Amino acid sequence: MKQQVTLSELNGLIKDALQEAFPATLWVVAEVSELKENRSGHCYLELVEKADESIVARSRATIWSYTYRMLKPYFETTTGQLFSHGIKILVQVSVEYHPAYGLSLNIKDIDPTYTVGDLALQRKEIIDRLMNEGVFEMNRELQLPLVPQKIAVISSKTAAGYQDFINQLENNENGFQFYTQIFEAYMQGEGAVASIIQALERIFQYEDFFDAVAIIRGGGASADLSCFDNYELAINITQFPLPVITGIGHEKDDTIIDLVAHTRMKTPTAVAEFFINGVERFYNHLMNTEADIIQLVNDKLDDSQHQLEHLAGGFHQSVSNYIRQKNEVINRKGNHLHREVSRFSYNKVSELNKLKYDIRSAIGLWSAETKNKIDQKKRILKRVAGEKFIKEKNHQEHLFDVIKYDAQKLL
């Protein structure tokens, strides 16, 4: 008959065998699949190994609170990466087997340089992928409007960086006016990537209204920036139809979205200054253009004034010459007219004198002839009148004699 053992006895045998097989700690490479912190400060993880995106090994791991309090800040300060799921780590572990809870790895130390190298490799792979897909420079090739004043902002509404950004825009010394609309998103943590992409999708619905997109966040730990080294977020930014300006408050290294964005600024305040400077450059350009136009107009007026003065001088000289020539012509014609009038007057006076003489001669002759005729008529009249008188006298005397005779006879 086969020897029988209880489950607890079997697990005890396994525990003893594992302790004999792994008496010391081991350095293990794995990817953090899950990570949870409980209220007591302990950290519970699930470690996996993948081959072609398939999990080929899986194990539970634990970091006790007294160790976790030291390892986590050490890892995040060294790598600039949050200690969270999805990262590859090189950890020193002891293999432990509990009869009630099974196999578990107790993490005692961590080598952050391995993770740094892995993150750098992942970062390079993402950049190479974006370049191979031909989208790395797409957003940078977009033309920023000359006067970018309508800005869609992706940020947390309560973030100090967002308040700094708004204050800088609204209180610019030139009084330039800007229209901003915030599209809230998580700017760190597990849900940041999906939240920012959703904000971009909402902005896309109003792409014809906005001039640019500003992705801003306040200062914070470098470990909070891991979400900005994400392929999905980067591919959305590269192909976004509006210029994307980043100011995520990290001055040491550029994240991938900084590299693919149209313009990278260090802080939200710097992003605000970027927009203000853009408007100021255009304003100065307008002022310079106005000054150039005024100068050109003044130069043109001066040239025209000089031309007018030159033309006026030439015109005055031409008019003077014309008037002088016309005066000479008028004088010549006046003199000629005077001579002609004098000659005409002399001729007419001569003609009048001759006519006067002729009239006088004619009148004298007519008067003499008329007088002779009158004298002749007078003599004839006198003779006729004398004859008539004598005849009438004789007739009257005859009538008197007749009357005298008849009267005497009657008596």
Side-chain angles (χ1 to χ4, degrees):
M1 183 177 179
K2 295 182 179 180
Q3 183 181 1
Q4 295 180 346
V5 294
T6 64
L7 180 60
S8 61
E9 291 174 339
L10 176 62
N11 285 348
L13 293 173
I14 295 174
K15 179 180 179 181
D16 294 338
L18 288 175
Q19 287 179 345
E20 291 179 4
F22 304 102
T25 59
L26 298 172
W27 286 94
V28 177
V29 175
E31 180 179 328
V32 179
S33 175
E34 294 182 9
L35 185 149
K36 294 180 182 180
E37 299 177 14
N38 68 3
R39 287 178 294 180
S40 60
H42 303 311
C43 180
Y44 299 100
L45 307 93
E46 181 180 71
L47 303 180
V48 298
E49 179 183 348
K50 294 181 180 179
D52 298 328
E53 298 301 321
S54 298
I55 297 176
V56 295
R58 188 192 306 268
S59 178
R60 292 186 298 109
T62 305
I63 309 176
W64 302 118
S65 59
Y66 61 89
T67 305
Y68 188 60
R69 284 195 298 268
M70 294 182 294
L71 291 188
K72 180 181 180 182
Y74 168 62
F75 176 85
E76 292 182 348
T77 302
T78 304
T79 64
Q81 171 75 22
L82 286 175
F83 188 72
S84 63
H85 70 281
I87 59 173
K88 282 188 177 181
I89 54 175
L90 174 60
V91 289
Q92 186 184 41
V93 302
S94 62
V95 181
E96 297 181 357
Y97 188 86
H98 193 281
Y101 301 108
L103 180 67
S104 177
L105 304 179
N106 182 18
I107 297 176
K108 299 180 178 296
D109 198 2
I110 189 169
D111 184 359
T113 58
Y114 176 84
T115 304
V116 170
D118 183 68
L119 291 175
L121 179 62
Q122 291 181 17
R123 176 185 169 94
K124 183 177 184 304
E125 288 176 351
I126 292 174
I127 293 174
D128 290 344
R129 181 179 176 184
L130 292 170
M131 287 185 172
N132 292 333
E133 292 173 354
V135 298
F136 192 82
E137 302 282 344
M138 284 183 64
N139 194 263
R140 205 176 302 169
E141 292 171 353
L142 295 177
Q143 186 173 1
L144 190 69
L146 288 175
V147 189
Q149 291 180 284
K150 294 178 290 187
I151 306 162
V153 184
I154 298 177
S155 181
S156 171
K157 197 169 187 178
T158 58
Y162 172 70
Q163 300 302 325
D164 293 340
F165 173 80
I166 294 299
N167 290 335
Q168 191 74 13
L169 281 184
E170 292 181 349
N171 300 311
N172 67 87
E173 60 182 9
N174 293 307
F176 299 136
Q177 298 296 314
F178 293 89
Y179 173 83
T180 60
Q181 177 64 48
I182 186 169
F183 293 82
E184 287 197 83
Y186 298 119
M187 302 308 290
Q188 65 184 52
E190 183 177 348
V193 172
S195 181
I196 296 173
I197 291 175
Q198 289 173 3
L200 288 171
E201 290 173 350
R202 294 198 304 272
I203 295 172
F204 179 74
Q205 299 175 10
Y206 307 98
E207 64 166 310
D208 293 335
F209 178 79
F210 291 107
D211 298 323
V213 177
I215 300 178
I216 57 176
R217 66 184 291 274
S222 299
D224 296 334
L225 301 177
S226 60
C227 60
F228 299 113
D229 283 325
N230 179 273
Y231 171 78
E232 293 299 327
L233 179 56
I235 195 71
N236 273 272
I237 290 175
T238 59
Q239 300 182 78
F240 202 72
L242 295 174
V244 176
I245 316 300
T246 60
I248 59 177
H250 185 60
E251 300 185 6
K252 294 181 180 179
D253 300 308
D254 290 335
T255 64
I256 290 178
I257 73 163
D258 287 324
L259 298 177
V260 299
H262 182 279
T263 304
R264 184 260 186 186
M265 306 303 296
K266 293 181 179 180
T267 63
T269 302
V271 175
E273 281 297 324
F274 172 79
F275 289 119
I276 293 170
N277 292 335
V279 177
E280 185 175 11
R281 284 193 299 271
F282 183 75
Y283 176 77
N284 292 333
H285 174 69
L286 288 180
M287 293 298 99
N288 293 333
T289 302
E290 179 186 23
D292 292 341
I293 292 174
I294 292 174
Q295 185 62 43
L296 289 173
V297 170
N298 288 333
D299 292 343
K300 188 65 176 178
L301 289 175
D302 290 340
D303 292 341
S304 300
Q305 181 68 27
H306 293 324
Q307 291 179 2
L308 286 175
E309 291 175 355
H310 178 71
L311 291 174
F315 182 73
H316 177 73
Q317 184 64 35
S318 299
V319 170
S320 298
N321 293 335
Y322 179 80
I323 292 174
R324 181 177 53 78
Q325 293 173 359
K326 292 303 178 183
N327 283 334
E328 291 176 356
V329 172
I330 290 173
N331 289 333
R332 288 197 301 270
K333 290 186 176 181
N335 293 332
H336 176 72
L337 180 62
H338 179 70
R339 290 194 300 271
E340 293 297 323
V341 169
S342 298
R343 185 180 299 112
F344 177 79
S345 298
Y346 176 77
N347 292 334
K348 292 303 178 182
V349 168
S350 298
E351 290 178 2
L352 287 173
N353 289 333
K354 182 180 179 183
L355 181 59
K356 182 179 179 181
Y357 174 77
D358 292 341
I359 291 173
R360 286 180 177 176
S361 297
I363 290 174
L365 180 60
W366 179 79
S367 298
E369 290 179 351
T370 302
K371 184 179 181 182
N372 290 333
K373 288 180 179 180
I374 290 173
D375 290 343
Q376 183 179 1
K377 294 290 185 180
K378 184 178 179 181
R379 286 192 300 273
I380 294 173
L381 182 60
K382 186 177 181 180
R383 187 183 69 249
V384 170
E387 289 177 354
K388 184 69 175 175
F389 180 75
I390 293 171
K391 186 177 179 180
E392 286 294 329
K393 184 179 180 182
N394 289 332
H395 179 67
Q396 289 178 1
E397 287 178 351
H398 172 69
L399 287 177
F400 183 74
D401 289 339
V402 171
I403 293 169
K404 184 179 178 181
Y405 171 76
D406 287 337
Q408 285 176 356
K409 183 179 181 181
L410 181 60
L411 290 175

